[in-house]
Amino acid sequence: MALVCAVYGGANYTNSWIGINALVILVSLMATAAVYSIGRLMPDSTRGKIAGYVRSEMVQLLLSAVIILALISVTFFACQITSSISQSVAKTQLNPFQFATYYIGNLVFIKGMGLLTTTYSTALTYEIYALVSTQAGIFINDYAGEIPLIGQYIGNGYNFKVSGASVIVDFPPEINVGLMFSNLVDLLLGIFSPILTLAVSMLLVQYIALPFLQYTGFAVILPIAIAMRSLAFSNGELRNASNAILAIAVAGYIIYPLTIALDSYIIGYVFSAANPSFVYLHTTYTLNQFNPSSFFSQPLPSGASQYSPFGDQIGTLWSLLYNSVAGAFPIPFAAGTASIQQLVNDIAEFVFTGIVLFAIDMAITIGFAIGLTKALNAGLEGAQHFWAGL
């Protein structure tokens, strides 16, 4: 942690930007001294006004120095927080931007791309099943009339008794088992895939923006804001603009990476046993514990002929047929429900991370920038217009 967050030593998150900002304050101090020297040559009335400007400028430089010291402390503690989180997640100490890049990079290029690949491959698999099942249904509809024990009931129905009630079992003339798989394909490609693509895109935007914020936040934007604060002789609105720029720099360099570390903590806590509500979440995200094949793995019990038009022999025939089909197509039959449910659960968790938490991160960052701007605008001395007093 000492090397990652040290105030002194090699350039890092906490100290790499101090030099350029200290240089800006020093140059402003030199410019103020030059203006004060020139003012000593002016008439008494102008000399007094320039002396007032110098005092105002010295206050601004002092405030800028205080801001720099405060930012050093804040970045140090922010770096310590992130390094502690990264030690538990990535097994190494990372500063806020390093951890944010690591965390979002894994979400985009491993989790997100993996889910997209799985979604499209599953949709392609189900599309093949749909075509095969549709053709099989057409074949059955065309030739089932010639199959013993089945053809006699097609179009006619079979009337049998269940607890005194009359029940008619009829094989419809058009059987399209592939429709179920086609609906799954439409669901995967028409709903889940666009939502998943949106989440991946939003995370990718963050991944691209992180280096820009890291290398410009306190090394470019903050020095510009401090330099603008030093122009006390300009219109007071320029200082308000400098306050807004300074707030953007602080929000982008400190607050936003911390919100990403917060995302990691939220995901780790919500989906862990430490969460008191995890038992309800776990129940929601778990399929009912039954094996679909168990309904047909054994012949129908004795006396089943009064409920079934086919009797025990057809139950055994159905068991053999189901087991053979489930063995040939394991995904949509025996394991298909669980695999689809798991895929949907993974997509839901990823969308929560990529869209919901991203919206919360942006709300926190923007809200902080707006609040800090208002606080700086309501400073001790207020905005001053130097030329108006000359």
Side-chain angles (χ1 to χ4, degrees):
M1 185 180 300
L3 296 177
V4 174
C5 306
V7 178
Y8 302 101
N12 56 52
Y13 172 80
T14 305
N15 61 20
S16 61
W17 48 272
I18 297 177
I20 181 65
N21 290 279
L23 180 62
V24 170
I25 295 178
L26 181 60
V27 171
S28 300
L29 182 61
M30 294 174 60
T32 302
V35 171
Y36 179 77
S37 300
I38 295 174
R40 300 298 295 177
L41 304 177
M42 296 294 177
D44 293 340
S45 59
T46 305
R47 184 189 311 163
K49 295 176 181 179
I50 291 180
Y53 151 72
V54 171
R55 285 193 296 270
S56 175
E57 184 62 21
M58 293 300 295
V59 171
Q60 292 299 322
L61 292 176
L62 178 61
L63 290 177
S64 298
V66 171
I67 290 173
I68 295 299
L69 293 176
L71 291 179
I72 292 174
S73 301
V74 172
T75 53
F76 176 75
F77 287 110
C79 186
Q80 284 189 318
I81 293 172
T82 307
S83 62
S84 299
I85 296 176
S86 64
Q87 182 65 42
S88 60
V89 175
K91 307 306 179 183
T92 185
Q93 294 179 354
L94 303 173
N95 66 45
F97 279 106
Q98 291 173 341
F99 179 75
T101 303
Y102 163 81
Y103 179 73
I104 296 181
N106 278 315
L107 284 177
V108 173
F109 300 109
I110 298 179
K111 186 69 173 180
M113 294 303 178
L115 284 175
L116 278 175
T117 303
T118 303
T119 301
Y120 285 113
S121 62
T122 304
L124 178 61
T125 302
Y126 283 173
E127 184 65 28
I128 295 174
Y129 292 149
L131 295 176
V132 173
S133 301
T134 301
Q135 294 302 317
I138 295 174
F139 175 82
I140 292 175
N141 289 325
D142 291 342
Y143 298 101
E146 303 176 3
I147 300 177
L149 299 177
I150 297 181
Q152 59 180 319
Y153 303 118
I154 295 181
N156 300 321
Y158 181 82
N159 192 337
F160 63 99
K161 299 293 184 179
V162 177
S163 301
S166 179
V167 178
I168 298 178
V169 175
D170 186 15
F171 289 87
E174 296 181 359
I175 300 175
N176 187 4
V177 182
L179 183 61
M180 176 184 67
F181 300 113
S182 297
N183 291 336
L184 287 175
V185 172
D186 294 338
L187 187 66
L188 289 172
L189 298 183
I191 298 179
F192 293 139
S193 178
I195 296 176
L196 187 58
T197 302
L198 175 62
V200 172
S201 301
M202 295 178 70
L203 288 170
L204 186 60
V205 169
Q206 298 180 69
Y207 186 80
I208 296 174
L210 283 173
F212 174 80
L213 294 176
Q214 179 179 2
Y215 295 110
T216 63
F218 276 12
V220 177
I221 301 177
L222 181 60
I224 291 176
I226 292 177
M228 292 172 64
R229 288 179 60 86
S230 301
L231 301 178
F233 55 84
S234 63
N235 188 283
E237 294 300 325
L238 181 61
R239 181 159 296 157
N240 292 339
S242 71
N243 292 335
I245 294 175
L246 189 150
I248 292 173
V250 173
Y253 192 83
I254 298 178
I255 303 303
Y256 185 67
L258 282 180
T259 60
I260 296 178
L262 177 64
D263 294 347
S264 174
Y265 177 80
I266 291 174
I267 293 297
Y269 177 78
V270 169
F271 294 96
S272 69
N275 180 10
S277 301
F278 175 75
V279 59
Y280 307 107
L281 179 67
H282 182 70
T283 303
T284 304
Y285 271 68
T286 303
L287 292 174
N288 293 325
Q289 298 299 320
F290 69 87
N291 183 7
S293 63
S294 63
F295 293 112
F296 310 106
S297 59
Q298 299 295 330
L300 295 178
S302 176
S305 58
Q306 60 179 324
Y307 303 104
S308 170
F310 308 125
D312 295 343
Q313 293 77 13
I314 299 302
T316 304
L317 177 63
W318 174 254
S319 176
L320 294 175
L321 177 63
Y322 177 86
N323 291 334
S324 62
V325 173
F329 303 97
I331 295 179
F333 288 90
T337 306
S339 63
I340 279 290
Q341 182 67 40
Q342 184 60 47
L343 178 60
V344 172
N345 292 345
D346 292 340
I347 292 176
E349 181 179 344
F350 185 82
V351 169
F352 173 76
T353 304
I355 296 180
V356 177
L357 291 184
F358 171 73
I360 295 176
D361 295 345
M362 293 302 298
I364 294 174
T365 304
I366 295 174
F368 178 87
I370 294 174
L372 182 59
T373 300
K374 292 181 178 180
L376 292 174
N377 289 340
L380 297 177
E381 81 292 346
Q384 297 184 14
H385 186 186
F386 173 71
W387 292 111
L390 291 179

